[in-house]
Structure formats: C-alpha cells, structure tokens
Amino acid sequence: MITVYSLPSQVQPEVLKDSAAVVIDVLRATTVITCAVHSGIKEFIPVLDITEALRLKSLFPEGSVILGGERSGLPIDGFDFGNSPQDYTPQRVAGKTLIITTTNGTAAIHAAKEARKVILAAFVNADAAVKKLANEDRITIICSGTCGLETEEDMLLAGCIVDRLTSGIYPSQSKYSGLNETAERVRRLWKNSNTNGVTELTALLRRSTGGKNLLRIGLAADIAAAAQIDTMETVAEFRLSR
Ligand code: MLT
C-alpha cells in the first residue's frame, strides 16, 4: 500500500505506524539534507525553532556543529549556512553535526517520526530513495507543502516516486496495487508533466510555488541544484536520538 499525504497536517498516525515514511521538501529542506549527508556530515538533527537549534548546539563540543536553515527563505542570523544545497560542500561540512531548522521541511520530518523508518527524498536522490523502499510493504509519503498549502514541486516528486515504485522497474512492485487517492493524483501529475531530464525539471520547478518564492529572493541557483535528478545515491534517514 502506498499512501501519499500532500501536507503533514493530513498524516494519520494509524497509517504511519508500521510503515516506511518518505518526507519530501524539494525546495529545499530534503534536498539540502541529502546534499549535506552526501558531503559527509556525521549526523543531522532537524529542529522546529531557532531557540532549540541554539540550545542543542551549546551541548556539543566547540567546532563540531554547523547550524543551517532558513526563515522566509533567507539565512538565519548567527547561523553558519542558509538553505542552499550548494553551501553544503565536503570541505565545509564533512564530519560535522548539522542542526537544521526550516519553515516547513523540518516540521514535516517531525510529523513522520512515529513511522517504523523515516527517509528523506529529493529529486537528486529519487532513484536511490525508490531502491530503499523496494522491499517495503507499507509506504507513506509526506509532502511538506508551504505554510499549510500544497506545492507542485513536492507533489511532482511524490508522483515520480509512486510511478517508479509501481511501474515494474523493481521486481517486488506488484504489492503496491493499493494507492490512496492522492497517490493516484500525484502519479498522474508526474506522468502528465512528461518531464525528462534536468532542463525540463528545472523549468518546471521554476514555475512551482517554492520555485517562484526562491526566484523572488534571487536564489535561482538553488532550483537548478534541486533539479539534478538521480545524481546521488545517498539517502538520509531520520532517527530520533535526543
Ligand atoms: C521549508 O522548509 O519551508 C523550505 O525548506 C523553505 C526554503 O527552503 O526556503
């Protein structure tokens, strides 16, 4: 069974329990965390607010933590990095603990925490995320949206994942015959987009809600970075540790 929620507020705890959850915030939280893990961070801790991020940092040895995230799309005062995937290079982040807080994405990760397992998906690791899910019987995909509203960029990736899981690429796909209505809807959205490659995906993301917000604040490069489909094998997994 694959259940897609277009917003974290729709998540039903009884569906989440016993399932593998996939959290999506294409622009940009799950893309950024995937890039940071790919660049060799030791761990990531998503937190809901700035005060909590600063408090947690104070518990770690000096120099071992980087603070990242955004408010209104922009870097947070006193933080090391904003929410741009290209900031998180191996030279800057390898071996560090990333404490991150963003407007919607980090809250969506917390909304998934009752699941048996929580992974993060972005276009950059879409194929790797699908491979991780190929043996799961119950999958719950949670889109972050923006401030309580559905966003096309997250729905498109959810559709891409559902489509790949059900298209017969993987031998175990027959067990995914059960899709909720939103899963059917996002699969159609993805198929109808006829997206084939980075250039088309970049154009599509630029027209999405999150894309328009980023263009408004001059962060077009972040959209292009998020559109690098299937370029990373890294799949970040969220574990409650503190
Ligand atoms: C979010 O969590 O809302 C996003 O990551 C927003 C952004 O990157 O600007």
Side-chain angles (χ1 to χ4, degrees):
M1 176 75 194
I2 305 178
T3 305
V4 175
Y5 294 114
S6 57
L7 289 169
S9 56
Q10 297 168 350
V11 171
Q12 293 175 331
E14 65 279 10
V15 173
L16 200 54
K17 212 169 144 289
D18 298 328
S19 78
V22 185
V23 180
I24 293 175
D25 184 1
V26 171
L27 297 173
R28 296 164 288 173
T30 56
T31 300
V32 163
I33 295 171
T34 301
C35 290
V37 173
H38 189 72
S39 289
I41 57 164
K42 184 174 160 212
E43 59 179 341
F44 69 95
I45 307 176
V47 299
L48 298 177
D49 59 57
I50 296 170
T51 311
E52 176 64 358
L54 295 168
R55 186 193 73 79
L56 264 185
K57 182 184 176 181
S58 71
L59 304 178
F60 282 80
E62 186 82 29
S64 65
V65 166
I66 48 172
L67 291 178
E70 55 69 38
R71 284 298 179 270
S72 305
L74 298 171
I76 298 165
D77 274 352
F79 276 39
D80 301 289
F81 300 113
N83 209 26
S84 294
Q86 57 279 19
D87 284 353
Y88 293 79
T89 60
Q91 293 76 9
R92 290 166 162 179
V93 306
K96 309 268 188 190
T97 292
L98 168 64
I99 298 176
I100 183 164
T101 178
T102 72
T103 312
N104 304 284
T106 48
I109 297 171
H110 279 266
K113 67 186 175 201
E114 300 303 332
R116 187 171 45 71
K117 160 181 181 177
V118 182
I119 67 166
L120 310 191
F123 276 109
V124 294
N125 73 343
D127 195 48
V130 168
K131 283 187 197 138
K132 276 251 179 230
L133 296 168
N135 292 318
E136 298 288 347
D137 291 323
R138 289 160 56 97
I139 298 171
T140 304
I141 301 177
I142 303 171
C143 300
S144 298
T146 294
C147 301
L149 298 175
E150 289 180 359
T151 50
E152 303 83 357
E153 68 273 17
D154 292 342
M155 305 286 274
L156 276 170
L157 176 58
C160 170
I161 291 172
V162 173
D163 188 45
R164 289 176 175 189
L165 281 168
T166 54
S167 65
I169 303 172
Y170 298 100
S172 50
Q173 51 83 32
S174 56
K175 67 185 169 209
Y176 299 125
S177 48
L179 304 183
N180 75 337
E181 184 273 331
T182 308
E184 295 281 10
R185 178 159 64 98
V186 295
R187 183 169 62 168
R188 274 196 305 278
L189 182 75
W190 171 251
K191 280 183 114 52
N192 292 342
S193 76
N194 282 319
T195 305
N196 190 15
V198 174
T199 311
E200 278 172 27
L201 184 55
T202 305
L204 208 55
L205 294 184
R206 286 171 70 97
R207 293 197 295 272
S208 70
T209 309
K212 286 183 199 149
N213 288 341
L214 290 173
L215 288 173
R216 217 175 1 251
I217 55 176
L219 296 176
D222 294 19
I223 304 173
Q228 303 303 308
I229 186 165
D230 298 332
T231 49
M232 291 178 190
E233 284 300 316
T234 304
V235 181
E237 193 165 333
F238 173 56
R239 291 191 197 94
L240 273 181
S241 58
R242 277 158 222 278

